[in-house]
Amino acid sequence: MPVNTPITVAYGDGIGPEIMEAALFVLDKACAKLDIDVIEIGEKVYLRGVTSGMEPSAFDSLRRTRVFLKAPVTTPQGSGYTSLNVTTRKTFGLYANVRPCMSYHPFIATKHPRMDVVIIRENEEDLYAGIEHRQTAQVCQCLKLISRPGCEKIARYAFEYAAANNRRKVSCFTKDNIMKMTDGLFHKVFDEIAAEYPSIASEHWIVDIGAAMLADTPENFDVIVMPNLYGDILSDVAAQITGSVGLGGSANIGDSCAMFEAIHGSAPRIAGRNEANPSGLILASVLMLNHIGQSGTATRIHNAWLRAIEDGIHTADMYKQGTSREKAGTREFAQAVVERLGENPRALKAADYAAEQPRQVKPPPTAQQPEVSKELTGVDVFLCWDKGSAAQLGGALTSAGTPALRLRTISNRGQNVWPHTSPDTFCTDHWRARFTRETGTGKLEYADIIALLDNVTRAGYEIIKTENLYDFDGIPGFTG
Ligand code: NAD
């Protein structure tokens, strides 16, 4: 007799409870072997004053079960609340977000009948560090953090996923023509890892044209790996163009924990009406069953779901007169899936997750990072100032320079405005003054920077932050 697998379940907010009831009903009737621990997460927890939306006891449950089936939550407005999804992904190291998006033509209306794309989104880094500051009256900043180990892990995961699932190509989307250091690193590491998998084709697209191509001819893509923000946006686009965002299930995978959820949100406008499509969470449950080694049950549920789709039983979001047969509510759709357990689709390709063993992609550990030499070469000093022109600022900051550090350029929102300026450039109250080492003054020390900052402050300027400039192995680690 197979033993039950402990899992943690959260009903979430909005349509969450309805679609979770539907998914658990299907899991129960399919005889999934689960020991379910229910935790409370989301809006009510936030409003009790728990800023993460999750009590410590909920984290304890996840640490014990290491498998989380989660319904969507509503994050209350306001800067005091942190995203529960982001916190969970980071706390448990869920670095890979896997989102299969396929069309079910001719049963669900779509402009893309041959679409079968898996989006693999980096889940822990990028702008989702959530480090934001208002620095001046006019300007706010959000830090985009990309690490080499983070890129290596996600790129390797994408190729291992492709190899394990008979996929022929991995595409990478970045904006490295603009963000040369951060997205540039993602692209560079992707190319390095791609070389380790010569039997799988690889390509890179700038994200804007890549996104346009994905929306136009998704059949040309197979597996796509992206930094966090692009993956977040484009996986919703990809799911929607298969027919409905309500169709998408996803897995958040870490080395020792995993979370499974629908890709959509809590859809508060249709909550409580028995209207929501539970397919995303049902398909997430299929991914979960495969992850924990209950592939037979995964196969049965997936095929019953495909058969219900083929039989034209559709929730409102996928219903189309002429194609659909019956507009089903959330509960009725789940019932239709249950009634088809044991049946296979007739026209759509049947699922067959044969072996009863965990279907998990386990990339090899990230390589030891090579030593790099690092040399301080200057400093960017960011100032809040609204008292005059770039030329005036340039004059004053030139005088504030020290024997070791000399002013080279001033920029405003990334546009150089000193020593050369265009009269048409609009300047805010947020300035960056770049000081670099004076030739022939020897090794630059942090004390030299402190002396410069002291001069700048004494000259009456407000420093809002500094950024050290380093060369790594002789190559500048900063953009112009
Ligand atoms: P949403 O995905 O909830 O809704 C977008 C649109 O899709 C709406 O028209 C909605 O009615 C429809 N829709 C979504 N899921 C559906 C389903 N299963 N069946 C039928 N129609 C469906 O996105 P939103 O409106 O931007 O966000 C609502 C809330 O959800 C916000 O508080 C947001 O923070 C939260 N959210 C949570 C998660 C998560 O918990 N994983 C993800 C995204 C958004």
Short mmCIF file of all heavy atoms in Angstrom, two decimals, residues 28 37 73 97 150 171 180 188 213 238 269 316 339 361 385 392 420 431 449:
data_model
loop_
_atom_site.label_atom_id
_atom_site.label_comp_id
_atom_site.label_asym_id
_atom_site.label_seq_id
_atom_site.Cartn_x
_atom_site.Cartn_y
_atom_site.Cartn_z
N ASP A 28 -9.03 14.09 -4.67
CA ASP A 28 -9.63 13.09 -3.79
C ASP A 28 -10.27 11.96 -4.61
O ASP A 28 -10.01 10.79 -4.37
CB ASP A 28 -10.66 13.79 -2.89
CG ASP A 28 -11.31 12.81 -1.95
OD1 ASP A 28 -10.58 12.02 -1.33
OD2 ASP A 28 -12.56 12.81 -1.84
N ASP A 37 -2.11 19.26 5.03
CA ASP A 37 -2.04 20.19 6.16
C ASP A 37 -2.48 21.55 5.64
O ASP A 37 -1.82 22.12 4.77
CB ASP A 37 -0.58 20.23 6.67
CG ASP A 37 -0.46 21.04 7.95
OD1 ASP A 37 -1.48 21.17 8.65
OD2 ASP A 37 0.64 21.54 8.23
N VAL A 73 -3.48 34.64 -3.84
CA VAL A 73 -3.81 35.52 -2.71
C VAL A 73 -3.90 36.97 -3.21
O VAL A 73 -3.38 37.32 -4.26
CB VAL A 73 -2.75 35.45 -1.59
CG1 VAL A 73 -2.71 34.08 -0.97
CG2 VAL A 73 -1.39 35.86 -2.09
N ASN A 97 10.63 28.90 -11.97
CA ASN A 97 9.19 28.92 -12.12
C ASN A 97 8.87 28.36 -13.51
O ASN A 97 9.24 28.95 -14.52
CB ASN A 97 8.70 30.37 -11.98
CG ASN A 97 7.19 30.46 -11.88
OD1 ASN A 97 6.47 29.66 -12.45
ND2 ASN A 97 6.72 31.45 -11.15
N GLY A 150 22.86 32.68 -9.80
CA GLY A 150 21.43 32.67 -10.12
C GLY A 150 21.20 32.38 -11.60
O GLY A 150 20.33 31.59 -11.96
N SER A 171 15.14 29.02 -25.86
CA SER A 171 15.36 30.42 -26.25
C SER A 171 15.54 31.24 -24.98
O SER A 171 14.93 30.94 -23.95
CB SER A 171 14.15 30.96 -27.01
OG SER A 171 13.78 30.09 -28.05
N LYS A 180 23.37 46.23 -20.03
CA LYS A 180 24.51 45.44 -20.50
C LYS A 180 25.16 44.64 -19.37
O LYS A 180 25.74 43.59 -19.61
CB LYS A 180 25.54 46.35 -21.16
CG LYS A 180 24.99 47.01 -22.43
CD LYS A 180 25.96 48.02 -22.99
CE LYS A 180 25.31 48.98 -23.96
NZ LYS A 180 24.88 48.43 -25.22
N LYS A 188 25.06 36.09 -21.25
CA LYS A 188 26.40 35.49 -21.35
C LYS A 188 26.41 34.09 -20.72
O LYS A 188 26.90 33.12 -21.30
CB LYS A 188 27.40 36.41 -20.63
CG LYS A 188 28.84 35.98 -20.66
CD LYS A 188 29.70 37.12 -20.07
CE LYS A 188 31.17 36.85 -20.17
NZ LYS A 188 31.63 35.81 -19.28
N MET A 213 7.30 38.19 -31.24
CA MET A 213 7.32 36.93 -31.98
C MET A 213 6.53 35.85 -31.24
O MET A 213 5.82 35.05 -31.85
CB MET A 213 8.77 36.44 -32.19
CG MET A 213 9.56 37.31 -33.12
SD MET A 213 8.80 37.33 -34.75
CE MET A 213 9.85 38.44 -35.61
N ALA A 238 1.47 34.42 -22.56
CA ALA A 238 1.48 33.10 -23.22
C ALA A 238 0.26 32.29 -22.82
O ALA A 238 -0.40 31.67 -23.67
CB ALA A 238 2.77 32.36 -22.89
N ARG A 269 -12.98 40.20 -8.79
CA ARG A 269 -14.26 40.61 -9.40
C ARG A 269 -15.21 39.43 -9.62
O ARG A 269 -16.42 39.61 -9.63
CB ARG A 269 -14.01 41.33 -10.73
CG ARG A 269 -13.72 42.82 -10.55
CD ARG A 269 -13.84 43.53 -11.88
NE ARG A 269 -12.85 43.02 -12.82
CZ ARG A 269 -11.66 43.58 -13.03
NH1 ARG A 269 -11.32 44.66 -12.38
NH2 ARG A 269 -10.82 43.06 -13.89
N ALA A 316 -16.78 29.93 -18.03
CA ALA A 316 -17.15 31.14 -18.79
C ALA A 316 -15.96 31.73 -19.56
O ALA A 316 -16.12 32.19 -20.69
CB ALA A 316 -17.74 32.17 -17.85
N GLU A 339 -16.01 12.82 -13.47
CA GLU A 339 -16.81 11.82 -14.22
C GLU A 339 -15.99 11.17 -15.34
O GLU A 339 -16.33 10.10 -15.82
CB GLU A 339 -18.05 12.49 -14.83
CG GLU A 339 -19.13 12.72 -13.79
CD GLU A 339 -20.20 13.71 -14.29
OE1 GLU A 339 -20.18 14.06 -15.48
OE2 GLU A 339 -21.02 14.11 -13.45
N VAL A 361 13.40 17.60 -12.31
CA VAL A 361 14.61 17.99 -13.02
C VAL A 361 15.62 18.43 -11.96
O VAL A 361 15.33 19.32 -11.17
CB VAL A 361 14.30 19.14 -13.99
CG1 VAL A 361 15.56 19.66 -14.63
CG2 VAL A 361 13.30 18.67 -15.04
N TRP A 385 19.71 67.77 -5.91
CA TRP A 385 20.04 69.19 -6.10
C TRP A 385 19.10 69.79 -7.14
O TRP A 385 18.89 69.21 -8.20
CB TRP A 385 21.50 69.28 -6.58
CG TRP A 385 22.04 70.68 -6.66
CD1 TRP A 385 22.32 71.51 -5.62
CD2 TRP A 385 22.39 71.40 -7.85
NE1 TRP A 385 22.83 72.70 -6.07
CE2 TRP A 385 22.88 72.66 -7.45
CE3 TRP A 385 22.35 71.10 -9.21
CZ2 TRP A 385 23.31 73.62 -8.35
CZ3 TRP A 385 22.77 72.05 -10.12
CH2 TRP A 385 23.25 73.30 -9.69
N GLN A 392 26.75 74.70 -13.74
CA GLN A 392 27.06 75.21 -12.40
C GLN A 392 27.51 74.07 -11.48
O GLN A 392 28.49 74.20 -10.74
CB GLN A 392 25.82 75.89 -11.80
CG GLN A 392 25.50 77.22 -12.43
CD GLN A 392 24.11 77.68 -12.01
OE1 GLN A 392 23.14 76.94 -12.05
NE2 GLN A 392 24.03 78.95 -11.61
N HIS A 420 29.64 68.06 -21.55
CA HIS A 420 28.88 68.51 -22.72
C HIS A 420 27.41 68.33 -22.43
O HIS A 420 27.01 67.33 -21.83
CB HIS A 420 29.28 67.69 -23.95
CG HIS A 420 30.75 67.70 -24.18
ND1 HIS A 420 31.45 68.82 -24.54
CD2 HIS A 420 31.68 66.71 -24.05
CE1 HIS A 420 32.75 68.53 -24.63
NE2 HIS A 420 32.90 67.25 -24.34
N TRP A 431 21.11 63.69 -9.59
CA TRP A 431 22.31 63.80 -10.42
C TRP A 431 23.32 62.72 -10.04
O TRP A 431 23.43 62.35 -8.87
CB TRP A 431 22.99 65.16 -10.19
CG TRP A 431 22.09 66.33 -10.42
CD1 TRP A 431 21.18 66.84 -9.53
CD2 TRP A 431 22.00 67.14 -11.61
NE1 TRP A 431 20.54 67.92 -10.08
CE2 TRP A 431 21.01 68.12 -11.35
CE3 TRP A 431 22.65 67.13 -12.84
CZ2 TRP A 431 20.66 69.09 -12.29
CZ3 TRP A 431 22.31 68.09 -13.76
CH2 TRP A 431 21.32 69.06 -13.50
N ILE A 449 37.84 58.11 -1.10
CA ILE A 449 36.43 58.40 -1.40
C ILE A 449 35.82 59.20 -0.24
O ILE A 449 35.10 60.19 -0.46
CB ILE A 449 35.66 57.09 -1.66
CG1 ILE A 449 36.16 56.46 -2.96
CG2 ILE A 449 34.15 57.34 -1.71
CD1 ILE A 449 35.52 55.15 -3.34
#
